[in-house]
Amino acid sequence: MLTVRVGKAKMRRVNIRGWAVQCMFVFVPLVLFVMLILQYYGNPFEDWRQVLPADMLSQSSMVPPKQSAGPCVHRTCPEDNFSFSIQSGAANVVGPKICVQKKLVLGTMLNNAGYGINIVIINGKTGEVIKTDHFDMYSGDVKPLIELLKSIETGSVVLMASYDDPSSKLDEEARKLIAELGSSSVKSLGFRDNWIFVGGKGAGVKSNFEKYMKNDNSKNKYENWPEIIQLEGCIPKYLD
C-alpha cells in the first residue's frame, strides 16, 4: 500500500510540473511581446491624450489648399478698361511684381525687377507694354530715372512699385515729375518706405491708385522694412 501511495504522489507532482511548464511557454512569450510593443510605440493611452486635441484643432488643415491662379490677380474689367495688379517688394529679399491684363510684365521671374523704383509703361489706348525698367535709388543715379520720366508720352499709363529703398537718391526734380503723373505720396516718400502707384501722362488729376506705407521700426513687419502692400483695379483707356 505504501508503494502505491508513493506512486500516486509522484504522478501528481509530475502533472503539476508539466502544467507549470506549459504555462511558462504560454505566458512568458506573451509578456515579452507586450513589453516589446510598449517599448516600440510608447504608452498608447498617453499618446492618445496628446494627439487628440491637436487633431481636433487642425481639422481645417486637412482641407486641400486651393490651386494657385498664377502670379497675377485674375480681375475682370469692362472692355474699355485695362486690369492691373501690383505688389511691392518685401524687405530686400522678395522682389515686386506688376501685372497688366492678367499677365506678369515685371518681376523676378522675368528677371526685370530690381532694387529701388520699378516702372512699367503701357500704351493707354491699346494696353501694350512700352517699357519696363528699375532704378536703384540707394546706390544708383537718379538721372536715368529723370530722363525716362521726361520721355513718357501723353496718353501713357505708368505703374510703379518700390523694392528695398525707393527714395535716398530721389531728388526734387524726380519727385515733381512723378507727382505730375498723379502721385500724392511721392513728395513724402522716405528711406525704405513701401510704395505702389498707377498714374498717367496727361491725366491732369490725382490718381486713385496709390498706396504708401511708412518705414516705422515700431510697426514694421520685417524689422527694418514695412510689410508688403498690394493694389489691383481697372484703368480706363485713354481717350483723346
Side-chain angles (χ1 to χ4, degrees), residues 10-20:
K10 286 183 178 180
M11 290 292 292
R12 290 195 192 96
R13 286 197 294 269
V14 171
N15 290 338
I16 293 171
R17 186 182 302 168
W19 179 82

Side-chain angles (χ1 to χ4, degrees), residues 12-68:
R12 290 195 192 96
R13 286 197 294 269
V14 171
N15 290 338
I16 293 171
R17 186 182 302 168
W19 179 82
V21 171
Q22 289 177 358
C23 289
M24 289 179 63
F25 278 115
V26 172
F27 286 105
V28 171
L30 180 61
V31 171
L32 291 174
F33 177 75
V34 172
M35 290 177 64
L36 287 173
I37 291 295
L38 290 175
Q39 289 178 359
Y40 186 80
Y41 290 103
N43 188 336
F45 299 101
E46 182 179 353
D47 290 345
W48 177 80
R49 288 194 299 269
Q50 293 176 353
V51 171
L52 180 59
D55 287 346
M56 292 176 68
L57 291 174
S58 62
Q59 285 180 359
S60 60
S61 66
M62 300 300 290
V63 179
K66 293 181 179 180
Q67 295 295 320
S68 173

